[in-house]
Amino acid sequence: MQQPRVDILFEHAPSARVLIGGAWRIGENCPRAEATINQLQALHGLEIVRLETQDLMHWDSLLLTYIRALSQFCDAQQMTLDTRGLPEGIQGLLMLAAAVPERQDASRQKNPDDWLSVLGRHTLWLIKDIGLLADFIGEAILGLFRLLGGQSQMRWSDFWRLVEACGPHALPIITLISTLVGMILAFVGAVQLKLFGAQIFIADLVGLGMAREMGAMMTAILMAGRTGSAFAAEIGSMTVNDEIDALKTSGFSPMDFLVMPRILAMLVTIPLLCLYADIWGMIGGALVAAGLFDISASEYLIQIQTRLRLIDFEVGIGKSAVFGILVATAGCLRGLLCQRNASSVGLATTSAVVTGIVYIVISDALMTLLVTALNLYKR
Amino acid sequence: MLTPSTTPHPPDLSPRQVHISVRELTMAYDDFMVQKDMDFDVLRGEIFIIMGASGCGKSTLLRHLIGLKPPVTGEVFFDGQNLWKLPPKERQSMLLKMGILYQSGALWSSMTLAENIALPLTAHTPLSAKEIADLVSLKLALVGLSGFESFYPAEISGGMQKRAALARALALDPEILLFDEPSAGLDPISARRLDRLIVHLSESLGITAVIVTHDLASLLDIGTNSVFLDTETKTIIAKGPPDMLLRTSTHPTVKEFLTRGQSKRTATSAREASR
Ligand SMILES: Nc1ncnc2c1ncn2[C@@H]1O[C@H](COP(=O)(O)OP(=O)(O)O)[C@@H](O)[C@H]1O
Ligand SMILES: [Mg+2]
């Protein structure tokens, strides 16, 4: 196997010969165009570059890119590049590559991004996004009125199928996560409470924490990952496949037909799931209390019964309903806004989960403020 | 509500009646202009071809005709009624007179073929379940898919999906059928069968067909009239029956398109083949 090589002969003043030889293939240690160009630049009075081959054995696209680089250099320096000494195959391919001139606007140029413009763009995007979501929720409310007025095209069979997908199928994962969250709450709290010999208040901590906050929050986050993403993927692939257009032209409103059953199914199931998560969280807390801190199950239960009131559960469940609406809306909206290509379904799904979770946390902060301001927990 | 019967609108006897007119239509996505100043008429019962290179805006034009995208300027008329000036309710019922075959078929993938065809019927007609089932099996039989009622779209071949989508487009006995590249992704034989089916249906039901295509064999074969959208000038550069355009058009782009950029000799033989 012969090494690929390039020799430059500058015998008579205006023209130089570039002799290309050896095996020019991707993977071989081929000479680089920049090196040759540097050498050519050093020659004074050079006007014509003749490319010739000498014992050239194999060649592939690598040689072509090398010659193209030389050719661009010659164009820029207004020299003549003579390729007649090359094999016909190479000449043919070079002609093919040069047949259509490069379109200036085709290779899109990206403006260099300074942080200010990135910040600005993202802010505008976020404002637009919140506007879109608000519009969409508004439309959903109109859809709800149509449903109440018996004008909706929603099919109850879709609704029941979705209730099954949102609810019972989510139970195993919710059981696992909420039990563990209950255990974590109990453990973190108990280590501190034990310093004062007040372990019994583990029950208060876990009970209030799960009922008011964590039950709703964990359920909503799980639903965003499990169901919001599924909504976005289902509706997104329908968008890509023109199925949404087909619905519209068959006289169906995607809002009534696809979005309403999903929002309603989520709205019906999530409070139940939240209550279920509350209970398992408290069971998780009881396990830690009994196992590590010597509090019997009956003590724990009595403590929870004296401390927790209905309003604690009501606040959590109310929050979960709001989260459910946000998660379902974000999923459906992302699916409907999906671009018409396959990779955009993935983007829509990711974005549904991310926006779902962001809206959960933002709305939770607002609702917690509201509940405190209204003094709902007052005894 | 529509009450479908087998032939709700008998074939029109005066052949010169205008069914669809497009006037000074300009189409754009945001600030990206697709086509401008488009003017053409589609007569009742015609098989009207919209042709042009990929990306020239054929699908976009179709979206304007079927009420999915409002024009930037200009008007679309059906039977003399301005589509985009109608109140939404009436526009909706006008759109129900159209059957659309999307490029990808666009069958609802979570439903069986029977449910796909039945859905528009249950929503827009007062028919009983039994009558709907009968209609579904009739429509499937028309496109040669008898017995496939309980198949899901993913379980049948591409050609069968296209035909099933045609059956769905026929569900409400439309007056106009619109097709987006019906032969795209089909082998020549299936494409041919679909062409024949379109001609057959349009003749026997008196349906006006608007077909977006760049399948030369098919458009020269079945088209009775056409427009050619140009990418360079962004407007219509030729109108008329496709075979006449092939013979008489002097516009280089149209000529190149209709002859596949080949010499005169092959052009003539292509014409002969299409006879
Ligand atoms: N949703 C869209 N947003 C922006 N531009 C689009 C969109 N859809 C199509 N286009 C552009 O409009 C032009 C016409 O597209 P299209 O009507 O699909 O072409 P055709 O069907 O003739 O191949 C293309 O240049 C395409 O890039
Ligand atoms: Mg198209």
Side-chain angles (χ1 to χ4, degrees), chain B residues 29 32 34 53-60:
Chain B
Y29 288 102
F32 173 70
V34 181
S54 292
C56 69
K58 305 184 293 295
S59 300
T60 310

Side-chain angles (χ1 to χ4, degrees), chain B residues 6 42-43 52 62 142 157 212 218 253 266:
Chain B
T6 39
V42 180
L43 304 182
L62 219 51
L142 279 181
S157 75
V212 164
S218 140
T253 316
T266 32

Side-chain angles (χ1 to χ4, degrees), chain A residues 204-255:
Chain A
D204 296 36
L205 184 86
V206 174
L208 288 178
M210 287 308 295
R212 288 180 183 176
E213 278 296 333
M214 295 313 284
M217 184 85 134
M218 292 319 294
T219 315
I221 288 177
L222 284 175
M223 292 307 267
R226 218 187 147 267
T227 311
S229 62
F231 288 174
E234 280 166 16
I235 297 182
S237 64
M238 287 183 78
T239 308
V240 172
N241 197 21
D242 290 337
E243 289 175 44
I244 302 286
D245 283 352
L247 273 181
K248 287 187 196 159
T249 50
S250 305
F252 291 93
S253 129
M255 177 54 78

Side-chain angles (χ1 to χ4, degrees), chain A residues 117-368:
Chain A
S117 62
V118 172
L119 185 72
R121 209 168 42 236
H122 277 79
T123 314
L124 288 179
W125 179 83
L126 189 72
I127 291 172
K128 197 172 149 215
D129 196 59
I130 291 177
L132 274 177
L133 191 78
D135 278 358
F136 196 69
I137 290 182
E139 272 184 55
I141 290 171
L142 290 181
L144 189 65
F145 284 137
R146 278 199 296 277
L147 186 69
L148 295 177
Q151 301 282 312
S152 180
Q153 296 164 321
M154 191 183 108
R155 297 191 309 175
W156 288 99
S157 60
D158 285 341
F159 169 76
W160 290 115
R161 184 179 59 78
L162 287 158
V163 165
E164 190 185 350
C166 291
H169 293 178
L171 288 181
I173 181 86
I174 288 186
T175 313
L176 178 72
I177 299 293
S178 46
T179 312
L180 289 176
V181 167
M183 292 172 78
I184 293 168
L185 276 182
F187 196 79
V188 170
V191 171
Q192 302 301 316
L193 291 171
K194 199 172 179 189
L195 296 178
F196 313 103
Q199 294 97 310
I200 186 61
F201 290 112
I202 294 176
D204 296 36
L205 184 86
V206 174
L208 288 178
M210 287 308 295
R212 288 180 183 176
E213 278 296 333
M214 295 313 284
M217 184 85 134
M218 292 319 294
T219 315
I221 288 177
L222 284 175
M223 292 307 267
R226 218 187 147 267
T227 311
S229 62
F231 288 174
E234 280 166 16
I235 297 182
S237 64
M238 287 183 78
T239 308
V240 172
N241 197 21
D242 290 337
E243 289 175 44
I244 302 286
D245 283 352
L247 273 181
K248 287 187 196 159
T249 50
S250 305
F252 291 93
S253 129
M255 177 54 78
D256 286 3
F257 198 77
L258 296 172
V259 178
M260 281 320 286
R262 284 174 170 75
I263 294 183
L264 287 185
M266 186 73 106
L267 193 60
V268 169
T269 46
I270 207 170
L272 299 175
L273 291 174
C274 171
L275 192 60
Y276 178 83
D278 290 349
I279 292 168
W280 275 101
M282 290 174 205
I283 293 176
L287 290 178
V288 170
L292 300 178
F293 299 96
D294 277 343
I295 300 169
S296 74
S298 55
E299 279 179 284
Y300 185 88
L301 191 62
I302 290 167
Q303 181 69 16
I304 280 198
Q305 273 175 344
T306 53
R307 188 68 186 84
L308 255 71
R309 291 171 311 149
L310 197 55
I311 185 73
D312 298 315
F313 286 101
E314 282 169 359
V315 166
I317 287 171
K319 279 181 179 178
S320 80
V322 174
F323 298 157
I325 292 176
L326 290 171
V327 165
T329 336
C332 295
L333 178 64
R334 289 291 176 250
L336 287 173
L337 290 181
C338 183
Q339 304 276 305
R340 277 162 204 279
N341 56 60
S343 66
S344 59
V345 178
L347 288 180
T349 313
T350 314
S351 157
V353 177
V354 173
T355 43
I357 292 177
V358 169
Y359 291 141
I360 289 171
V361 176
I362 294 178
S363 63
D364 189 33
L366 294 178
M367 284 187 288
T368 308

Side-chain angles (χ1 to χ4, degrees), chain A residues 241 243 245-246 249-252, chain B residues 63 92 102 104 107-109 124:
Chain A
N241 197 21
E243 289 175 44
D245 283 352
T249 50
S250 305
F252 291 93
Chain B
R63 292 172 64 79
Q92 193 59 58
Y102 292 87
S104 54
L107 290 166
W108 296 303
S109 45
H124 302 298

